[in-house]
Amino acid sequence: MKKYLIGALLCMVMLVSMMPTAFAATNYEECMAAIREQKTIQAQAHQTANALRKQGYSDSSTYIQAAKRTWSAAQAEIQAYKNLSQYTWDDIRILTTTVYHEAGSTTEQLRQYVAQVALNRVKDSRFPNTVYGVITQRGQYNTKYATMDAAQAIKNKDAANGTYNWQTCKNSVMQAMMGKTEMPGNVLYQANFTQGSGLWKSVYFNSGWFASTSYFCYG
């Protein structure tokens, strides 16, 4: 019985860690389905902990602590999917296209940072309150990023070259939308120069054939 409970617990831990990247939610219904799965994982973790207690394990035991961590990790994913459910497929498509053109060939960190700046602007009263509005705002990004043709061009290039740039950038965007990017909400500018009211962080990137420094600044 003990081995069964421990095995079940390990499976739950694996599920919690795998789902954020494997589940490509793009709308409210899919996010709600993901939340239901995470709640099932929580229920299983709770049942496992109670069964272990009945066997004489204390709450400080390694196994019950692991069950608690599983429950907490699932709770974090529930909140992440609630965050993601606020966005539409069009939001994801537009921001994925933007990230591809602004930082597609850099790093996961930079891709998430570019996405987060745009999302921060959506929530700031000084900018449009939609992803479409922020990306198409005059003098900021590029209105072409919001078109279906721009997105399709990336997918076509991936298909021709055997690359996965669209999915890579989409994953970065979804991580930011889920609230998993460690950037303050008042960071509103990203460029190769400083601006706004001060520097939050600069990130140097060198691919071997080009190098750049991106400055992320407060609004």
Side-chain angles (χ1 to χ4, degrees):
M1 183 64 176
K2 171 183 169 183
K3 290 183 178 179
Y4 171 77
L5 290 170
I6 294 171
L9 181 61
L10 289 173
C11 288
M12 284 188 287
V13 172
M14 290 178 66
L15 279 170
V16 172
S17 64
M18 290 171 62
M19 284 189 65
T21 54
F23 190 90
T26 56
N27 58 43
Y28 181 84
E29 289 75 16
E30 287 178 323
C31 288
M32 293 305 104
I35 287 172
R36 287 193 293 272
E37 291 192 40
Q38 293 295 333
K39 287 184 176 180
T40 297
I41 290 172
Q42 285 185 318
Q44 291 171 344
H46 181 69
Q47 291 169 3
T48 297
N50 282 341
L52 288 167
R53 289 186 184 101
K54 289 179 181 179
Q55 292 186 42
Y57 288 91
S58 68
D59 276 23
S60 61
S61 71
T62 300
Y63 303 127
I64 292 183
Q65 286 299 309
K68 288 183 175 182
R69 286 193 297 271
T70 297
W71 191 96
S72 296
Q75 185 62 34
E77 290 307 306
I78 288 171
Q79 183 57 56
Y81 280 110
K82 285 181 179 179
N83 295 339
L84 183 60
S85 70
Q86 301 172 36
Y87 300 98
T88 66
W89 160 243
D90 281 341
D91 293 332
I92 295 172
R93 171 182 57 79
I94 292 168
L95 197 48
T96 297
T97 304
T98 303
V99 168
Y100 171 83
H101 286 287
E102 296 285 321
S105 58
T106 59
T107 64
E108 174 66 14
Q109 179 192 49
L110 278 169
R111 288 190 292 271
Q112 286 192 32
Y113 281 1
V114 170
Q116 191 61 55
V117 167
L119 295 176
N120 285 352
R121 288 188 175 195
V122 172
K123 296 177 181 178
D124 191 284
S125 61
R126 291 167 290 181
F127 294 91
N129 63 356
T130 63
V131 171
Y132 176 86
V134 163
I135 300 306
T136 60
Q137 186 177 21
R138 185 174 182 180
Q140 297 303 310
Y141 293 93
N142 189 321
T143 57
K144 291 182 180 179
Y145 294 169
T147 65
M148 292 290 293
D149 287 344
Q152 192 59 51
I154 301 169
K155 296 177 183 179
N156 291 345
K157 190 173 181 179
D158 277 342
N161 297 337
T163 52
Y164 302 92
N165 293 316
W166 174 263
Q167 189 60 50
T168 298
C169 292
K170 180 181 174 183
N171 288 344
S172 300
V173 165
M174 290 174 66
Q175 290 293 299
M177 287 179 168
M178 293 172 93
K180 297 188 176 184
T181 304
E182 37 85 40
M183 175 186 286
N186 58 342
V187 176
L188 302 174
Y189 298 103
Q190 162 255 319
N192 58 357
F193 54 88
T194 58
Q195 55 187 311
S197 62
L199 177 67
W200 170 65
K201 183 182 289 188
S202 63
V203 181
Y204 177 74
F205 173 75
N206 190 337
S207 68
W209 57 276
F210 84 93
S212 66
T213 300
S214 297
Y215 297 90
F216 297 89
C217 300
Y218 297 108

